[in-house]
Short mmCIF file of all heavy atoms in Angstrom, two decimals:
data_model
loop_
_atom_site.label_atom_id
_atom_site.label_comp_id
_atom_site.label_asym_id
_atom_site.label_seq_id
_atom_site.Cartn_x
_atom_site.Cartn_y
_atom_site.Cartn_z
N VAL A 131 121.72 167.79 -8.48
CA VAL A 131 121.30 169.05 -9.05
C VAL A 131 120.10 169.65 -8.40
O VAL A 131 119.41 168.94 -7.74
CB VAL A 131 121.03 168.79 -10.58
CG1 VAL A 131 122.20 168.17 -11.15
CG2 VAL A 131 119.79 168.05 -10.74
N ILE A 132 119.80 170.94 -8.74
CA ILE A 132 118.59 171.75 -8.20
C ILE A 132 117.70 171.96 -9.47
O ILE A 132 118.41 172.68 -10.33
CB ILE A 132 118.96 172.90 -7.50
CG1 ILE A 132 119.80 172.64 -6.35
CG2 ILE A 132 117.69 173.62 -7.05
CD1 ILE A 132 121.32 173.10 -6.48
N LEU A 133 116.65 171.45 -9.60
CA LEU A 133 115.70 171.64 -10.81
C LEU A 133 115.10 172.95 -10.62
O LEU A 133 114.66 173.31 -9.50
CB LEU A 133 114.86 170.57 -10.98
CG LEU A 133 115.32 169.18 -11.26
CD1 LEU A 133 114.25 168.04 -11.57
CD2 LEU A 133 116.13 169.12 -12.61
N CYS A 134 114.83 173.60 -11.74
CA CYS A 134 113.94 174.72 -11.62
C CYS A 134 112.48 174.44 -11.11
O CYS A 134 111.90 173.53 -11.63
CB CYS A 134 113.84 175.46 -13.08
SG CYS A 134 113.21 177.02 -13.05
N PRO A 135 112.10 175.31 -10.16
CA PRO A 135 110.76 174.95 -9.62
C PRO A 135 109.53 175.53 -10.41
O PRO A 135 108.31 175.15 -10.06
CB PRO A 135 110.78 175.67 -8.27
CG PRO A 135 111.68 176.80 -8.49
CD PRO A 135 112.82 176.36 -9.46
N ALA A 136 109.74 176.23 -11.38
CA ALA A 136 108.67 176.93 -12.21
C ALA A 136 109.01 177.36 -13.56
O ALA A 136 110.20 177.56 -13.88
CB ALA A 136 108.17 178.10 -11.37
N VAL A 140 114.20 184.01 -15.42
CA VAL A 140 115.21 184.32 -14.21
C VAL A 140 115.45 185.77 -14.11
O VAL A 140 115.79 186.51 -15.12
CB VAL A 140 116.50 183.60 -14.39
CG1 VAL A 140 117.47 183.91 -13.28
CG2 VAL A 140 116.40 182.14 -14.51
N ILE A 143 119.71 186.86 -9.48
CA ILE A 143 120.70 185.86 -9.06
C ILE A 143 121.68 186.70 -8.07
O ILE A 143 122.40 187.48 -8.71
CB ILE A 143 121.56 185.21 -10.16
CG1 ILE A 143 120.63 184.42 -11.09
CG2 ILE A 143 122.65 184.32 -9.66
CD1 ILE A 143 121.32 183.91 -12.36
N GLN A 158 120.38 183.55 -3.82
CA GLN A 158 118.91 183.69 -4.22
C GLN A 158 118.88 183.67 -5.67
O GLN A 158 119.52 184.40 -6.35
CB GLN A 158 118.31 184.94 -3.54
CG GLN A 158 117.00 185.07 -4.17
CD GLN A 158 116.28 186.42 -3.50
OE1 GLN A 158 116.66 186.96 -2.66
NE2 GLN A 158 115.15 186.79 -4.32
N VAL A 159 117.92 182.74 -6.17
CA VAL A 159 117.64 182.69 -7.64
C VAL A 159 116.11 182.72 -7.72
O VAL A 159 115.48 182.11 -7.06
CB VAL A 159 118.06 181.43 -8.35
CG1 VAL A 159 117.71 181.51 -9.72
CG2 VAL A 159 119.66 181.22 -8.09
N SER A 160 115.61 183.86 -8.38
CA SER A 160 114.26 184.06 -8.57
C SER A 160 113.75 183.99 -9.98
O SER A 160 114.34 184.38 -10.96
CB SER A 160 113.95 185.43 -8.01
OG SER A 160 114.28 185.67 -6.76
N ILE A 161 112.58 183.21 -10.02
CA ILE A 161 111.92 183.08 -11.43
C ILE A 161 110.58 183.87 -11.47
O ILE A 161 109.73 183.64 -10.70
CB ILE A 161 111.70 181.65 -11.67
CG1 ILE A 161 112.96 180.76 -11.77
CG2 ILE A 161 110.87 181.40 -12.95
CD1 ILE A 161 113.35 180.15 -10.43
N PRO A 174 112.24 171.49 -6.31
CA PRO A 174 113.59 171.48 -6.97
C PRO A 174 114.54 170.39 -6.57
O PRO A 174 115.41 169.97 -7.32
CB PRO A 174 114.15 172.89 -6.61
CG PRO A 174 113.31 173.35 -5.41
CD PRO A 174 112.04 172.71 -5.51
N ILE A 216 117.75 173.44 1.10
CA ILE A 216 117.43 174.75 0.46
C ILE A 216 116.03 175.16 0.78
O ILE A 216 115.18 174.35 1.37
CB ILE A 216 117.46 174.52 -1.13
CG1 ILE A 216 116.31 173.61 -1.57
CG2 ILE A 216 118.79 173.82 -1.57
CD1 ILE A 216 116.07 173.63 -3.15
N VAL A 254 108.78 182.76 -7.89
CA VAL A 254 109.28 181.61 -6.98
C VAL A 254 110.81 182.04 -6.71
O VAL A 254 111.54 182.27 -7.64
CB VAL A 254 109.22 180.29 -7.58
CG1 VAL A 254 109.74 179.37 -6.67
CG2 VAL A 254 107.82 179.91 -7.84
N ASP A 255 111.10 182.16 -5.42
CA ASP A 255 112.42 182.43 -5.05
C ASP A 255 113.06 181.11 -4.51
O ASP A 255 112.29 180.33 -3.80
CB ASP A 255 112.48 183.41 -3.92
CG ASP A 255 112.18 184.76 -4.32
OD1 ASP A 255 112.12 185.09 -5.56
OD2 ASP A 255 111.90 185.71 -3.43
N VAL A 256 114.37 180.91 -4.80
CA VAL A 256 114.95 179.64 -4.26
C VAL A 256 116.36 180.10 -3.59
O VAL A 256 116.97 180.89 -4.10
CB VAL A 256 115.42 178.75 -5.43
CG1 VAL A 256 116.05 177.42 -4.83
CG2 VAL A 256 114.20 178.31 -6.23
N PHE A 257 116.48 179.73 -2.46
CA PHE A 257 117.64 180.07 -1.64
C PHE A 257 118.66 178.91 -1.40
O PHE A 257 118.26 177.94 -0.82
CB PHE A 257 117.20 180.61 -0.28
CG PHE A 257 116.36 181.87 -0.31
CD1 PHE A 257 115.02 181.83 -0.45
CD2 PHE A 257 117.02 183.07 -0.31
CE1 PHE A 257 114.26 182.92 -0.54
CE2 PHE A 257 116.24 184.23 -0.41
CZ PHE A 257 114.88 184.23 -0.49
N LEU A 258 119.66 179.02 -2.01
CA LEU A 258 120.70 177.91 -2.09
C LEU A 258 121.96 178.18 -1.20
O LEU A 258 122.24 179.29 -0.96
CB LEU A 258 121.21 177.76 -3.55
CG LEU A 258 120.14 177.65 -4.73
CD1 LEU A 258 120.78 177.86 -6.10
CD2 LEU A 258 119.39 176.36 -4.55
N THR A 262 127.04 177.05 -4.32
CA THR A 262 126.30 176.30 -5.32
C THR A 262 126.64 176.84 -6.75
O THR A 262 126.71 178.01 -6.96
CB THR A 262 124.78 176.39 -5.00
OG1 THR A 262 124.51 175.92 -3.79
CG2 THR A 262 123.94 175.63 -6.04
N LYS A 263 126.83 175.88 -7.53
CA LYS A 263 127.09 176.36 -9.01
C LYS A 263 125.77 176.58 -9.71
O LYS A 263 124.92 175.71 -9.86
CB LYS A 263 127.87 175.22 -9.75
CG LYS A 263 128.24 175.62 -11.20
CD LYS A 263 128.92 174.42 -11.82
CE LYS A 263 129.29 174.81 -13.35
NZ LYS A 263 128.07 175.12 -14.07
N VAL A 264 125.53 177.77 -10.18
CA VAL A 264 124.36 178.16 -10.80
C VAL A 264 124.43 177.90 -12.31
O VAL A 264 125.47 178.43 -12.96
CB VAL A 264 123.94 179.76 -10.42
CG1 VAL A 264 122.69 180.06 -11.26
CG2 VAL A 264 123.74 179.77 -9.00
N ASP A 265 123.49 177.29 -12.94
CA ASP A 265 123.65 176.93 -14.30
C ASP A 265 122.77 177.83 -15.20
O ASP A 265 122.62 177.62 -16.41
CB ASP A 265 123.14 175.53 -14.56
CG ASP A 265 124.26 174.59 -14.20
OD1 ASP A 265 125.29 174.93 -13.43
OD2 ASP A 265 124.04 173.36 -14.45
N VAL A 266 122.09 178.90 -14.63
CA VAL A 266 121.37 179.70 -15.50
C VAL A 266 121.82 181.25 -15.24
O VAL A 266 122.70 181.42 -14.36
CB VAL A 266 119.75 179.73 -15.01
CG1 VAL A 266 119.25 178.43 -15.26
CG2 VAL A 266 119.64 180.06 -13.49
N SER A 267 121.32 182.09 -16.05
CA SER A 267 121.70 183.48 -16.12
C SER A 267 120.42 184.38 -16.06
O SER A 267 119.41 183.89 -16.48
CB SER A 267 122.50 183.86 -17.27
OG SER A 267 123.77 183.07 -17.37
N VAL A 272 113.16 179.60 -18.51
CA VAL A 272 113.36 178.23 -17.78
C VAL A 272 112.02 177.49 -17.75
O VAL A 272 110.97 178.01 -17.81
CB VAL A 272 113.98 178.41 -16.42
CG1 VAL A 272 115.32 179.01 -16.40
CG2 VAL A 272 113.07 179.34 -15.51
N LEU A 276 112.49 170.69 -15.61
CA LEU A 276 113.30 170.38 -16.70
C LEU A 276 114.60 171.12 -16.66
O LEU A 276 115.65 170.45 -16.85
CB LEU A 276 112.65 170.65 -18.02
CG LEU A 276 111.32 169.83 -18.26
CD1 LEU A 276 110.68 170.22 -19.68
CD2 LEU A 276 111.57 168.31 -18.15
N THR A 277 114.55 172.44 -16.42
CA THR A 277 115.89 173.15 -16.49
C THR A 277 116.61 172.92 -15.21
O THR A 277 116.04 172.97 -14.07
CB THR A 277 115.55 174.62 -16.63
OG1 THR A 277 114.79 174.97 -17.71
CG2 THR A 277 116.85 175.48 -16.65
N VAL A 278 117.94 172.77 -15.34
CA VAL A 278 118.76 172.56 -14.17
C VAL A 278 119.16 173.93 -13.66
O VAL A 278 119.82 174.83 -14.44
CB VAL A 278 120.09 171.77 -14.43
CG1 VAL A 278 120.97 171.76 -13.23
CG2 VAL A 278 119.64 170.36 -14.74
N LEU A 279 118.71 174.27 -12.44
CA LEU A 279 118.93 175.65 -11.89
C LEU A 279 120.44 175.79 -11.40
O LEU A 279 121.04 176.71 -11.52
CB LEU A 279 118.03 175.85 -10.76
CG LEU A 279 117.73 177.33 -10.35
CD1 LEU A 279 116.96 178.09 -11.45
CD2 LEU A 279 116.81 177.36 -9.06
N GLY A 280 120.85 174.69 -10.70
CA GLY A 280 122.26 174.77 -10.20
C GLY A 280 122.65 173.31 -9.69
O GLY A 280 121.95 172.34 -9.90
N ARG A 281 123.93 173.20 -9.32
CA ARG A 281 124.49 172.01 -8.80
C ARG A 281 125.20 172.21 -7.57
O ARG A 281 125.89 173.17 -7.19
CB ARG A 281 125.51 171.53 -9.93
CG ARG A 281 124.98 171.35 -11.24
CD ARG A 281 125.91 171.08 -12.35
NE ARG A 281 125.45 171.12 -13.68
CZ ARG A 281 124.77 170.09 -14.27
NH1 ARG A 281 124.68 168.98 -13.65
NH2 ARG A 281 124.23 170.34 -15.46
#
Side-chain angles (χ1 to χ4, degrees):
V131 307
I132 303 102
L133 296 180
C134 189
V140 178
I143 301 175
Q158 177 182 337
V159 181
S160 299
I161 299 100
I216 71 168
V254 178
D255 292 346
V256 184
F257 295 88
L258 307 170
T262 301
K263 181 182 181 299
V264 176
D265 283 14
V266 295
S267 302
V272 293
L276 299 179
T277 303
V278 173
L279 203 66
R281 304 172 189 273

